[in-house]
Amino acid sequence: MNQARVVAEEIVERYGRDGRLSAESLASAEFGVWDRLTPGVLLIMALGLAAVEDPAFAEGIAESGDTMLPRLISGDFQAIELGVEAAAMSWGQAVAWLSECVRRPDAPASTLDALLSQAEDLWFEVLDSGEMTRPQVRDGEFGPWDATKTPTSAGVERLDYGVLRVPRLEGARIHPLRAGGRAVGVVVSLGDHALSLQAFRVPLGSVWGKIRPKIIQEVRDQGGTAEDAESSLGSEVRARIPVVKDGQRVLQPTRIVGCDGPGWLLRGGYGEPSALTDLVDPRAHHLFTQTVVDLSAAEEHLDTTEEITNLEVRWPTTE
């Protein structure tokens, strides 16, 4: 038995004994890490398998009003959209359901081990399929969206920042990205990392493919490393950018993404330990691909001598 399964079993057993998901369990589960096999991945996959194999159990979960698990079962891994603070409660509920399933009087003693074993095989199939890394940007199902089009996910609640309408995520905090005294974008803090979003007016059509080489060269000129790559957010730059932290110069792992729209470019970036992996944090994918860009809300006039114009966002007085 591998270490991930050992830890997953310990988490469920600890929950059954203590009746709660401890901070120690959350840390050891590595919830939200999707580029490899972790205890958190196994627990979620095992819960999904239990619901598929037992319709009555699945019905009980559905009656609770939860929507995360049904979406995961259908293969929608973007269901994990919450910020860390709120996600802790969802993960705790998932472990509670799994604990309830394996502790039923009629459940064989080997139930949990069997579910985790099947979950391990299933996750490797998912990783091998490439579904988690296939580009899912402006493909009819995912955006980013232009304000003149109705998003497929019209039910997503969005916060209005003028040229940017950004999905609301429980547990996330949003503050302005400022440059030269202007609010030129938003920064969505997700607890363990932050995603920045900026909109640019592009008078000459698609530019993301043209400016990526310039970004790569700029990072290298600063003493960092950068290269072209592709993920579920499409073509991107994966870089290690020099920054100063606690007085020390370090290289910050950073994923820089962009998407061309009709007359605009949406650019995003986030830095975290897993920023250089093939798999994108589902919360970041949701934020980027469900953002709406509205050029009609741009307040400044376009200087036609510039190829690209960074647009100022409108900051609300209240949220």
Side-chain angles (χ1 to χ4, degrees), residues 1-9 11-12 28-34 36-50 69 77 91 94-95 98 112-124:
M1 183 183 300
N2 64 47
Q3 185 61 26
R5 283 173 59 188
V6 170
V7 175
E9 287 193 357
I11 291 171
V12 176
S28 62
E30 298 183 85
F31 287 126
V33 178
W34 303 99
R36 55 188 172 83
L37 186 72
T38 68
V41 165
L42 284 176
L43 291 170
I44 291 300
M45 300 298 275
L47 179 60
L49 288 168
L69 185 60
F77 292 98
W91 293 124
V95 174
L98 187 57
L112 180 58
D113 185 63
L115 286 172
L116 292 176
S117 178
Q118 294 176 56
E120 182 178 357
D121 293 340
L122 180 58
W123 184 244
F124 283 129

mmCIF file of all heavy atoms in Angstrom, residues 1-9 11-12 28-34 36-50 69 77 91 94-95 98 112-124:
data_model
loop_
_atom_site.group_PDB
_atom_site.id
_atom_site.type_symbol
_atom_site.label_atom_id
_atom_site.label_comp_id
_atom_site.label_asym_id
_atom_site.label_seq_id
_atom_site.Cartn_x
_atom_site.Cartn_y
_atom_site.Cartn_z
ATOM 1 N N MET A 1 0.851 -1.201 0.000
ATOM 2 C CA MET A 1 0.000 0.000 0.000
ATOM 3 C C MET A 1 0.883 1.246 0.000
ATOM 4 O O MET A 1 1.823 1.335 0.788
ATOM 5 C CB MET A 1 -0.915 0.002 1.227
ATOM 6 C CG MET A 1 -1.886 1.176 1.277
ATOM 7 S SD MET A 1 -2.886 1.209 2.787
ATOM 8 C CE MET A 1 -3.741 -0.363 2.653
ATOM 9 N N ASN A 2 0.594 2.201 -0.907
ATOM 10 C CA ASN A 2 1.429 3.396 -0.966
ATOM 11 C C ASN A 2 1.094 4.363 0.168
ATOM 12 O O ASN A 2 0.072 4.245 0.842
ATOM 13 C CB ASN A 2 1.303 4.075 -2.333
ATOM 14 C CG ASN A 2 -0.092 4.598 -2.593
ATOM 15 O OD1 ASN A 2 -0.701 5.240 -1.755
ATOM 16 N ND2 ASN A 2 -0.616 4.327 -3.787
ATOM 17 N N GLN A 3 1.979 5.355 0.343
ATOM 18 C CA GLN A 3 1.851 6.276 1.465
ATOM 19 C C GLN A 3 0.589 7.113 1.379
ATOM 20 O O GLN A 3 -0.036 7.430 2.400
ATOM 21 C CB GLN A 3 3.078 7.188 1.524
ATOM 22 C CG GLN A 3 3.118 8.112 2.734
ATOM 23 C CD GLN A 3 3.152 7.367 4.056
ATOM 24 O OE1 GLN A 3 3.620 6.217 4.108
ATOM 25 N NE2 GLN A 3 2.645 7.988 5.103
ATOM 26 N N ALA A 4 0.171 7.480 0.168
ATOM 27 C CA ALA A 4 -1.038 8.291 0.018
ATOM 28 C C ALA A 4 -2.258 7.542 0.562
ATOM 29 O O ALA A 4 -3.109 8.126 1.232
ATOM 30 C CB ALA A 4 -1.257 8.657 -1.447
ATOM 31 N N ARG A 5 -2.343 6.255 0.276
ATOM 32 C CA ARG A 5 -3.483 5.475 0.781
ATOM 33 C C ARG A 5 -3.415 5.313 2.287
ATOM 34 O O ARG A 5 -4.439 5.324 2.984
ATOM 35 C CB ARG A 5 -3.526 4.114 0.089
ATOM 36 C CG ARG A 5 -4.084 4.199 -1.333
ATOM 37 C CD ARG A 5 -3.967 2.878 -2.054
ATOM 38 N NE ARG A 5 -4.676 1.804 -1.384
ATOM 39 C CZ ARG A 5 -4.598 0.521 -1.735
ATOM 40 N NH1 ARG A 5 -3.825 0.180 -2.761
ATOM 41 N NH2 ARG A 5 -5.274 -0.404 -1.097
ATOM 42 N N VAL A 6 -2.207 5.148 2.824
ATOM 43 C CA VAL A 6 -2.053 5.031 4.281
ATOM 44 C C VAL A 6 -2.570 6.286 4.969
ATOM 45 O O VAL A 6 -3.338 6.218 5.937
ATOM 46 C CB VAL A 6 -0.573 4.792 4.649
ATOM 47 C CG1 VAL A 6 -0.367 4.917 6.159
ATOM 48 C CG2 VAL A 6 -0.117 3.425 4.174
ATOM 49 N N VAL A 7 -2.169 7.454 4.459
ATOM 50 C CA VAL A 7 -2.595 8.719 5.051
ATOM 51 C C VAL A 7 -4.098 8.914 4.883
ATOM 52 O O VAL A 7 -4.782 9.381 5.798
ATOM 53 C CB VAL A 7 -1.824 9.897 4.426
ATOM 54 C CG1 VAL A 7 -2.360 11.232 4.944
ATOM 55 C CG2 VAL A 7 -0.339 9.777 4.729
ATOM 56 N N ALA A 8 -4.637 8.550 3.710
ATOM 57 C CA ALA A 8 -6.082 8.687 3.476
ATOM 58 C C ALA A 8 -6.875 7.863 4.482
ATOM 59 O O ALA A 8 -7.882 8.328 5.037
ATOM 60 C CB ALA A 8 -6.416 8.259 2.052
ATOM 61 N N GLU A 9 -6.441 6.630 4.723
ATOM 62 C CA GLU A 9 -7.121 5.782 5.712
ATOM 63 C C GLU A 9 -7.037 6.392 7.105
ATOM 64 O O GLU A 9 -8.010 6.384 7.859
ATOM 65 C CB GLU A 9 -6.522 4.380 5.702
ATOM 66 C CG GLU A 9 -6.899 3.553 4.489
ATOM 67 C CD GLU A 9 -6.565 2.078 4.664
ATOM 68 O OE1 GLU A 9 -5.984 1.723 5.708
ATOM 69 O OE2 GLU A 9 -6.907 1.287 3.770
ATOM 70 N N ILE A 11 -6.842 9.523 7.886
ATOM 71 C CA ILE A 11 -7.724 10.689 7.972
ATOM 72 C C ILE A 11 -9.162 10.265 8.245
ATOM 73 O O ILE A 11 -9.854 10.828 9.102
ATOM 74 C CB ILE A 11 -7.634 11.517 6.676
ATOM 75 C CG1 ILE A 11 -6.261 12.188 6.574
ATOM 76 C CG2 ILE A 11 -8.738 12.580 6.625
ATOM 77 C CD1 ILE A 11 -6.007 12.852 5.246
ATOM 78 N N VAL A 12 -9.617 9.245 7.505
ATOM 79 C CA VAL A 12 -10.993 8.770 7.709
ATOM 80 C C VAL A 12 -11.159 8.165 9.097
ATOM 81 O O VAL A 12 -12.162 8.407 9.789
ATOM 82 C CB VAL A 12 -11.372 7.745 6.619
ATOM 83 C CG1 VAL A 12 -12.768 7.176 6.884
ATOM 84 C CG2 VAL A 12 -11.329 8.395 5.246
ATOM 85 N N SER A 28 -2.055 17.068 5.927
ATOM 86 C CA SER A 28 -1.528 15.791 5.425
ATOM 87 C C SER A 28 -2.267 15.306 4.188
ATOM 88 O O SER A 28 -1.729 14.541 3.389
ATOM 89 C CB SER A 28 -1.589 14.726 6.521
ATOM 90 O OG SER A 28 -2.928 14.479 6.923
ATOM 91 N N ALA A 29 -3.526 15.770 4.004
ATOM 92 C CA ALA A 29 -4.311 15.341 2.839
ATOM 93 C C ALA A 29 -3.832 16.001 1.555
ATOM 94 O O ALA A 29 -4.010 15.464 0.473
ATOM 95 C CB ALA A 29 -5.786 15.658 3.047
ATOM 96 N N GLU A 30 -3.233 17.184 1.668
ATOM 97 C CA GLU A 30 -2.807 17.949 0.485
ATOM 98 C C GLU A 30 -3.990 18.153 -0.462
ATOM 99 O O GLU A 30 -3.895 17.938 -1.667
ATOM 100 C CB GLU A 30 -1.655 17.256 -0.249
ATOM 101 C CG GLU A 30 -0.391 17.111 0.571
ATOM 102 C CD GLU A 30 0.733 16.487 -0.231
ATOM 103 O OE1 GLU A 30 1.443 17.220 -0.938
ATOM 104 O OE2 GLU A 30 0.889 15.258 -0.143
ATOM 105 N N PHE A 31 -5.109 18.565 0.095
ATOM 106 C CA PHE A 31 -6.284 18.839 -0.724
ATOM 107 C C PHE A 31 -5.990 19.938 -1.726
ATOM 108 O O PHE A 31 -5.323 20.919 -1.420
ATOM 109 C CB PHE A 31 -7.454 19.281 0.159
ATOM 110 C CG PHE A 31 -8.066 18.169 0.958
ATOM 111 C CD1 PHE A 31 -8.211 18.274 2.331
ATOM 112 C CD2 PHE A 31 -8.506 17.018 0.335
ATOM 113 C CE1 PHE A 31 -8.785 17.256 3.060
ATOM 114 C CE2 PHE A 31 -9.076 15.992 1.068
ATOM 115 C CZ PHE A 31 -9.226 16.112 2.436
ATOM 116 N N GLY A 32 -6.484 19.786 -2.935
ATOM 117 C CA GLY A 32 -6.297 20.792 -3.962
ATOM 118 C C GLY A 32 -5.033 20.626 -4.770
ATOM 119 O O GLY A 32 -4.772 21.416 -5.662
ATOM 120 N N VAL A 33 -4.225 19.582 -4.477
ATOM 121 C CA VAL A 33 -3.039 19.295 -5.284
ATOM 122 C C VAL A 33 -3.440 18.258 -6.317
ATOM 123 O O VAL A 33 -3.780 17.132 -5.982
ATOM 124 C CB VAL A 33 -1.878 18.761 -4.415
ATOM 125 C CG1 VAL A 33 -0.673 18.432 -5.285
ATOM 126 C CG2 VAL A 33 -1.517 19.775 -3.347
ATOM 127 N N TRP A 34 -3.395 18.647 -7.601
ATOM 128 C CA TRP A 34 -3.991 17.808 -8.646
ATOM 129 C C TRP A 34 -2.982 17.215 -9.620
ATOM 130 O O TRP A 34 -3.363 16.470 -10.512
ATOM 131 C CB TRP A 34 -5.007 18.626 -9.440
ATOM 132 C CG TRP A 34 -6.081 19.199 -8.577
ATOM 133 C CD1 TRP A 34 -6.147 20.467 -8.088
ATOM 134 C CD2 TRP A 34 -7.227 18.522 -8.050
ATOM 135 N NE1 TRP A 34 -7.263 20.622 -7.311
ATOM 136 C CE2 TRP A 34 -7.950 19.445 -7.275
ATOM 137 C CE3 TRP A 34 -7.710 17.222 -8.179
ATOM 138 C CZ2 TRP A 34 -9.122 19.116 -6.618
ATOM 139 C CZ3 TRP A 34 -8.888 16.900 -7.530
ATOM 140 C CH2 TRP A 34 -9.581 17.835 -6.763
ATOM 141 N N ARG A 36 -0.563 15.083 -8.982
ATOM 142 C CA ARG A 36 -0.047 13.783 -8.587
ATOM 143 C C ARG A 36 -1.046 13.118 -7.642
ATOM 144 O O ARG A 36 -2.054 13.713 -7.269
ATOM 145 C CB ARG A 36 1.314 13.921 -7.901
ATOM 146 C CG ARG A 36 1.317 14.873 -6.717
ATOM 147 C CD ARG A 36 2.721 15.112 -6.211
ATOM 148 N NE ARG A 36 2.769 16.164 -5.203
ATOM 149 C CZ ARG A 36 2.502 15.974 -3.917
ATOM 150 N NH1 ARG A 36 2.166 14.762 -3.476
ATOM 151 N NH2 ARG A 36 2.575 16.984 -3.069
ATOM 152 N N LEU A 37 -0.744 11.897 -7.275
ATOM 153 C CA LEU A 37 -1.611 11.163 -6.356
ATOM 154 C C LEU A 37 -1.386 11.658 -4.937
ATOM 155 O O LEU A 37 -0.268 11.635 -4.435
ATOM 156 C CB LEU A 37 -1.306 9.665 -6.444
ATOM 157 C CG LEU A 37 -2.235 8.754 -5.627
ATOM 158 C CD1 LEU A 37 -3.606 8.683 -6.280
ATOM 159 C CD2 LEU A 37 -1.632 7.353 -5.521
ATOM 160 N N THR A 38 -2.432 12.141 -4.281
ATOM 161 C CA THR A 38 -2.347 12.599 -2.894
ATOM 162 C C THR A 38 -3.490 11.985 -2.096
ATOM 163 O O THR A 38 -4.481 11.509 -2.669
ATOM 164 C CB THR A 38 -2.455 14.132 -2.803
ATOM 165 O OG1 THR A 38 -3.798 14.521 -3.173
ATOM 166 C CG2 THR A 38 -1.449 14.828 -3.714
ATOM 167 N N PRO A 39 -3.396 11.999 -0.763
ATOM 168 C CA PRO A 39 -4.510 11.494 0.053
ATOM 169 C C PRO A 39 -5.822 12.223 -0.243
ATOM 170 O O PRO A 39 -6.891 11.603 -0.267
ATOM 171 C CB PRO A 39 -4.028 11.750 1.484
ATOM 172 C CG PRO A 39 -2.536 11.713 1.390
ATOM 173 C CD PRO A 39 -2.224 12.345 0.069
ATOM 174 N N GLY A 40 -5.750 13.542 -0.477
ATOM 175 C CA GLY A 40 -6.963 14.295 -0.772
ATOM 176 C C GLY A 40 -7.630 13.842 -2.054
ATOM 177 O O GLY A 40 -8.854 13.691 -2.123
ATOM 178 N N VAL A 41 -6.829 13.620 -3.098
ATOM 179 C CA VAL A 41 -7.366 13.109 -4.366
ATOM 180 C C VAL A 41 -8.036 11.758 -4.142
ATOM 181 O O VAL A 41 -9.152 11.509 -4.627
ATOM 182 C CB VAL A 41 -6.243 12.987 -5.414
ATOM 183 C CG1 VAL A 41 -6.695 12.122 -6.587
ATOM 184 C CG2 VAL A 41 -5.829 14.361 -5.920
ATOM 185 N N LEU A 42 -7.381 10.885 -3.406
ATOM 186 C CA LEU A 42 -7.941 9.552 -3.167
ATOM 187 C C LEU A 42 -9.264 9.636 -2.421
ATOM 188 O O LEU A 42 -10.210 8.895 -2.738
ATOM 189 C CB LEU A 42 -6.944 8.708 -2.362
ATOM 190 C CG LEU A 42 -5.752 8.149 -3.131
ATOM 191 C CD1 LEU A 42 -4.807 7.416 -2.178
ATOM 192 C CD2 LEU A 42 -6.203 7.220 -4.235
ATOM 193 N N LEU A 43 -9.357 10.505 -1.429
ATOM 194 C CA LEU A 43 -10.585 10.606 -0.641
ATOM 195 C C LEU A 43 -11.754 11.088 -1.494
ATOM 196 O O LEU A 43 -12.869 10.554 -1.399
ATOM 197 C CB LEU A 43 -10.365 11.546 0.547
ATOM 198 C CG LEU A 43 -9.414 11.017 1.625
ATOM 199 C CD1 LEU A 43 -9.077 12.115 2.624
ATOM 200 C CD2 LEU A 43 -10.027 9.817 2.337
ATOM 201 N N ILE A 44 -11.511 12.096 -2.331
ATOM 202 C CA ILE A 44 -12.581 12.612 -3.185
ATOM 203 C C ILE A 44 -13.006 11.564 -4.216
ATOM 204 O O ILE A 44 -14.199 11.351 -4.466
ATOM 205 C CB ILE A 44 -12.132 13.905 -3.880
ATOM 206 C CG1 ILE A 44 -12.003 15.037 -2.852
ATOM 207 C CG2 ILE A 44 -13.107 14.300 -4.968
ATOM 208 C CD1 ILE A 44 -13.303 15.358 -2.132
ATOM 209 N N MET A 45 -12.028 10.905 -4.838
ATOM 210 C CA MET A 45 -12.353 9.880 -5.828
ATOM 211 C C MET A 45 -13.079 8.702 -5.176
ATOM 212 O O MET A 45 -14.014 8.133 -5.749
ATOM 213 C CB MET A 45 -11.083 9.397 -6.526
ATOM 214 C CG MET A 45 -10.314 10.473 -7.264
ATOM 215 S SD MET A 45 -11.237 11.238 -8.615
ATOM 216 C CE MET A 45 -10.906 10.088 -9.942
ATOM 217 N N ALA A 46 -12.655 8.334 -3.962
ATOM 218 C CA ALA A 46 -13.304 7.225 -3.260
ATOM 219 C C ALA A 46 -14.749 7.567 -2.935
ATOM 220 O O ALA A 46 -15.651 6.720 -3.053
ATOM 221 C CB ALA A 46 -12.534 6.892 -1.977
ATOM 222 N N LEU A 47 -14.991 8.805 -2.520
ATOM 223 C CA LEU A 47 -16.363 9.226 -2.226
ATOM 224 C C LEU A 47 -17.213 9.175 -3.479
ATOM 225 O O LEU A 47 -18.371 8.733 -3.451
ATOM 226 C CB LEU A 47 -16.355 10.636 -1.640
ATOM 227 C CG LEU A 47 -17.722 11.231 -1.308
ATOM 228 C CD1 LEU A 47 -18.456 10.374 -0.290
ATOM 229 C CD2 LEU A 47 -17.562 12.665 -0.794
ATOM 230 N N GLY A 48 -16.657 9.617 -4.600
ATOM 231 C CA GLY A 48 -17.395 9.552 -5.858
ATOM 232 C C GLY A 48 -17.732 8.130 -6.242
ATOM 233 O O GLY A 48 -18.851 7.839 -6.676
ATOM 234 N N LEU A 49 -16.779 7.216 -6.067
ATOM 235 C CA LEU A 49 -17.027 5.806 -6.382
ATOM 236 C C LEU A 49 -18.100 5.229 -5.478
ATOM 237 O O LEU A 49 -18.960 4.457 -5.927
ATOM 238 C CB LEU A 49 -15.728 5.011 -6.238
ATOM 239 C CG LEU A 49 -14.673 5.249 -7.317
ATOM 240 C CD1 LEU A 49 -13.348 4.627 -6.901
ATOM 241 C CD2 LEU A 49 -15.135 4.665 -8.648
ATOM 242 N N ALA A 50 -18.062 5.593 -4.194
ATOM 243 C CA ALA A 50 -19.070 5.095 -3.257
ATOM 244 C C ALA A 50 -20.466 5.549 -3.668
ATOM 245 O O ALA A 50 -21.437 4.791 -3.593
ATOM 246 C CB ALA A 50 -18.750 5.579 -1.844
ATOM 247 N N LEU A 69 -20.053 17.197 -5.261
ATOM 248 C CA LEU A 69 -19.833 15.790 -5.587
ATOM 249 C C LEU A 69 -20.471 15.371 -6.907
ATOM 250 O O LEU A 69 -19.820 14.712 -7.720
ATOM 251 C CB LEU A 69 -20.325 14.901 -4.445
ATOM 252 C CG LEU A 69 -20.026 13.412 -4.627
ATOM 253 C CD1 LEU A 69 -18.529 13.173 -4.728
ATOM 254 C CD2 LEU A 69 -20.606 12.604 -3.478
ATOM 255 N N PHE A 77 -14.023 18.568 -12.983
ATOM 256 C CA PHE A 77 -13.084 18.831 -11.908
ATOM 257 C C PHE A 77 -12.991 20.317 -11.570
ATOM 258 O O PHE A 77 -12.318 20.691 -10.619
ATOM 259 C CB PHE A 77 -11.705 18.274 -12.262
ATOM 260 C CG PHE A 77 -11.679 16.774 -12.299
ATOM 261 C CD1 PHE A 77 -11.800 16.091 -13.496
ATOM 262 C CD2 PHE A 77 -11.578 16.048 -11.130
ATOM 263 C CE1 PHE A 77 -11.808 14.713 -13.535
ATOM 264 C CE2 PHE A 77 -11.578 14.672 -11.156
ATOM 265 C CZ PHE A 77 -11.696 13.986 -12.354
ATOM 266 N N TRP A 91 -14.272 20.091 2.174
ATOM 267 C CA TRP A 91 -13.461 18.885 2.317
ATOM 268 C C TRP A 91 -13.885 18.115 3.569
ATOM 269 O O TRP A 91 -13.954 16.892 3.565
ATOM 270 C CB TRP A 91 -11.985 19.259 2.442
ATOM 271 C CG TRP A 91 -11.373 19.862 1.225
ATOM 272 C CD1 TRP A 91 -10.740 21.071 1.148
ATOM 273 C CD2 TRP A 91 -11.299 19.299 -0.092
ATOM 274 N NE1 TRP A 91 -10.290 21.289 -0.124
ATOM 275 C CE2 TRP A 91 -10.620 20.223 -0.910
ATOM 276 C CE3 TRP A 91 -11.744 18.106 -0.657
ATOM 277 C CZ2 TRP A 91 -10.364 19.990 -2.256
ATOM 278 C CZ3 TRP A 91 -11.502 17.872 -1.998
ATOM 279 C CH2 TRP A 91 -10.831 18.808 -2.779
ATOM 280 N N ALA A 94 -16.939 16.177 2.861
ATOM 281 C CA ALA A 94 -16.636 15.023 2.015
ATOM 282 C C ALA A 94 -16.093 13.868 2.847
ATOM 283 O O ALA A 94 -16.486 12.713 2.670
ATOM 284 C CB ALA A 94 -15.638 15.415 0.931
ATOM 285 N N VAL A 95 -15.179 14.169 3.766
ATOM 286 C CA VAL A 95 -14.621 13.128 4.633
ATOM 287 C C VAL A 95 -15.709 12.565 5.548
ATOM 288 O O VAL A 95 -15.751 11.366 5.830
ATOM 289 C CB VAL A 95 -13.442 13.682 5.448
ATOM 290 C CG1 VAL A 95 -12.948 12.638 6.458
ATOM 291 C CG2 VAL A 95 -12.295 14.087 4.523
ATOM 292 N N LEU A 98 -17.734 10.086 3.529
ATOM 293 C CA LEU A 98 -16.981 8.857 3.291
ATOM 294 C C LEU A 98 -16.891 8.038 4.570
ATOM 295 O O LEU A 98 -17.042 6.814 4.553
ATOM 296 C CB LEU A 98 -15.583 9.191 2.777
ATOM 297 C CG LEU A 98 -14.722 8.002 2.330
ATOM 298 C CD1 LEU A 98 -15.424 7.202 1.240
ATOM 299 C CD2 LEU A 98 -13.363 8.496 1.834
ATOM 300 N N LEU A 112 -13.264 0.561 2.909
ATOM 301 C CA LEU A 112 -12.435 1.736 2.671
ATOM 302 C C LEU A 112 -11.211 1.388 1.827
ATOM 303 O O LEU A 112 -10.884 2.108 0.877
ATOM 304 C CB LEU A 112 -11.992 2.357 4.002
ATOM 305 C CG LEU A 112 -11.099 3.613 3.876
ATOM 306 C CD1 LEU A 112 -11.810 4.705 3.088
ATOM 307 C CD2 LEU A 112 -10.717 4.124 5.269
ATOM 308 N N ASP A 113 -10.557 0.276 2.146
ATOM 309 C CA ASP A 113 -9.373 -0.117 1.390
ATOM 310 C C ASP A 113 -9.723 -0.380 -0.067
ATOM 311 O O ASP A 113 -8.986 0.016 -0.979
ATOM 312 C CB ASP A 113 -8.741 -1.363 2.011
ATOM 313 C CG ASP A 113 -7.432 -1.743 1.331
ATOM 314 O OD1 ASP A 113 -6.489 -0.940 1.380
ATOM 315 O OD2 ASP A 113 -7.378 -2.834 0.740
ATOM 316 N N ALA A 114 -10.874 -1.018 -0.299
ATOM 317 C CA ALA A 114 -11.290 -1.322 -1.671
ATOM 318 C C ALA A 114 -11.596 -0.037 -2.441
ATOM 319 O O ALA A 114 -11.209 0.115 -3.612
ATOM 320 C CB ALA A 114 -12.515 -2.230 -1.658
ATOM 321 N N LEU A 115 -12.269 0.915 -1.798
ATOM 322 C CA LEU A 115 -12.596 2.178 -2.457
ATOM 323 C C LEU A 115 -11.333 2.964 -2.794
ATOM 324 O O LEU A 115 -11.206 3.529 -3.889
ATOM 325 C CB LEU A 115 -13.512 3.019 -1.563
ATOM 326 C CG LEU A 115 -14.970 2.580 -1.450
ATOM 327 C CD1 LEU A 115 -15.688 3.404 -0.385
ATOM 328 C CD2 LEU A 115 -15.677 2.721 -2.796
ATOM 329 N N LEU A 116 -10.387 2.996 -1.870
ATOM 330 C CA LEU A 116 -9.149 3.738 -2.105
ATOM 331 C C LEU A 116 -8.318 3.094 -3.215
ATOM 332 O O LEU A 116 -7.684 3.787 -4.007
ATOM 333 C CB LEU A 116 -8.331 3.834 -0.817
ATOM 334 C CG LEU A 116 -8.930 4.706 0.288
ATOM 335 C CD1 LEU A 116 -8.072 4.634 1.547
ATOM 336 C CD2 LEU A 116 -9.084 6.152 -0.164
ATOM 337 N N SER A 117 -8.342 1.767 -3.260
ATOM 338 C CA SER A 117 -7.610 1.059 -4.322
ATOM 339 C C SER A 117 -8.203 1.386 -5.687
ATOM 340 O O SER A 117 -7.470 1.677 -6.649
ATOM 341 C CB SER A 117 -7.654 -0.446 -4.070
ATOM 342 O OG SER A 117 -6.997 -1.140 -5.109
ATOM 343 N N GLN A 118 -9.542 1.367 -5.790
ATOM 344 C CA GLN A 118 -10.191 1.715 -7.050
ATOM 345 C C GLN A 118 -9.953 3.181 -7.403
ATOM 346 O O GLN A 118 -9.757 3.527 -8.583
ATOM 347 C CB GLN A 118 -11.697 1.468 -6.943
ATOM 348 C CG GLN A 118 -12.097 0.011 -6.774
ATOM 349 C CD GLN A 118 -13.605 -0.117 -6.584
ATOM 350 O OE1 GLN A 118 -14.396 0.338 -7.398
ATOM 351 N NE2 GLN A 118 -14.003 -0.724 -5.481
ATOM 352 N N ALA A 119 -9.972 4.049 -6.376
ATOM 353 C CA ALA A 119 -9.762 5.478 -6.603
ATOM 354 C C ALA A 119 -8.364 5.745 -7.154
ATOM 355 O O ALA A 119 -8.187 6.596 -8.035
ATOM 356 C CB ALA A 119 -9.958 6.253 -5.304
ATOM 357 N N GLU A 120 -7.384 4.988 -6.655
ATOM 358 C CA GLU A 120 -6.012 5.139 -7.140
ATOM 359 C C GLU A 120 -5.932 4.806 -8.627
ATOM 360 O O GLU A 120 -5.344 5.561 -9.411
ATOM 361 C CB GLU A 120 -5.086 4.222 -6.345
ATOM 362 C CG GLU A 120 -3.624 4.333 -6.730
ATOM 363 C CD GLU A 120 -2.749 3.438 -5.882
ATOM 364 O OE1 GLU A 120 -3.272 2.770 -4.961
ATOM 365 O OE2 GLU A 120 -1.531 3.402 -6.128
ATOM 366 N N ASP A 121 -6.529 3.687 -9.011
ATOM 367 C CA ASP A 121 -6.517 3.290 -10.424
ATOM 368 C C ASP A 121 -7.227 4.324 -11.291
ATOM 369 O O ASP A 121 -6.762 4.669 -12.395
ATOM 370 C CB ASP A 121 -7.181 1.927 -10.600
ATOM 371 C CG ASP A 121 -6.380 0.799 -9.959
ATOM 372 O OD1 ASP A 121 -5.170 0.998 -9.723
ATOM 373 O OD2 ASP A 121 -6.977 -0.261 -9.681
ATOM 374 N N LEU A 122 -8.361 4.843 -10.794
ATOM 375 C CA LEU A 122 -9.150 5.807 -11.560
ATOM 376 C C LEU A 122 -8.390 7.111 -11.757
ATOM 377 O O LEU A 122 -8.410 7.695 -12.850
ATOM 378 C CB LEU A 122 -10.482 6.071 -10.858
ATOM 379 C CG LEU A 122 -11.439 7.061 -11.537
ATOM 380 C CD1 LEU A 122 -11.778 6.599 -12.942
ATOM 381 C CD2 LEU A 122 -12.704 7.228 -10.700
ATOM 382 N N TRP A 123 -7.699 7.571 -10.714
ATOM 383 C CA TRP A 123 -6.990 8.840 -10.837
ATOM 384 C C TRP A 123 -5.852 8.744 -11.847
ATOM 385 O O TRP A 123 -5.619 9.670 -12.624
ATOM 386 C CB TRP A 123 -6.462 9.303 -9.494
ATOM 387 C CG TRP A 123 -5.797 10.649 -9.567
ATOM 388 C CD1 TRP A 123 -4.498 10.958 -9.341
ATOM 389 C CD2 TRP A 123 -6.430 11.885 -9.939
ATOM 390 N NE1 TRP A 123 -4.264 12.300 -9.538
ATOM 391 C CE2 TRP A 123 -5.429 12.896 -9.911
ATOM 392 C CE3 TRP A 123 -7.729 12.241 -10.298
ATOM 393 C CZ2 TRP A 123 -5.708 14.222 -10.229
ATOM 394 C CZ3 TRP A 123 -7.994 13.567 -10.609
ATOM 395 C CH2 TRP A 123 -6.998 14.537 -10.565
ATOM 396 N N PHE A 124 -5.149 7.611 -11.854
ATOM 397 C CA PHE A 124 -4.087 7.437 -12.835
ATOM 398 C C PHE A 124 -4.658 7.416 -14.257
ATOM 399 O O PHE A 124 -4.040 7.916 -15.198
ATOM 400 C CB PHE A 124 -3.286 6.169 -12.557
ATOM 401 C CG PHE A 124 -2.305 6.315 -11.421
ATOM 402 C CD1 PHE A 124 -2.274 5.397 -10.392
ATOM 403 C CD2 PHE A 124 -1.420 7.376 -11.394
ATOM 404 C CE1 PHE A 124 -1.369 5.539 -9.345
ATOM 405 C CE2 PHE A 124 -0.514 7.525 -10.353
ATOM 406 C CZ PHE A 124 -0.485 6.608 -9.320
#
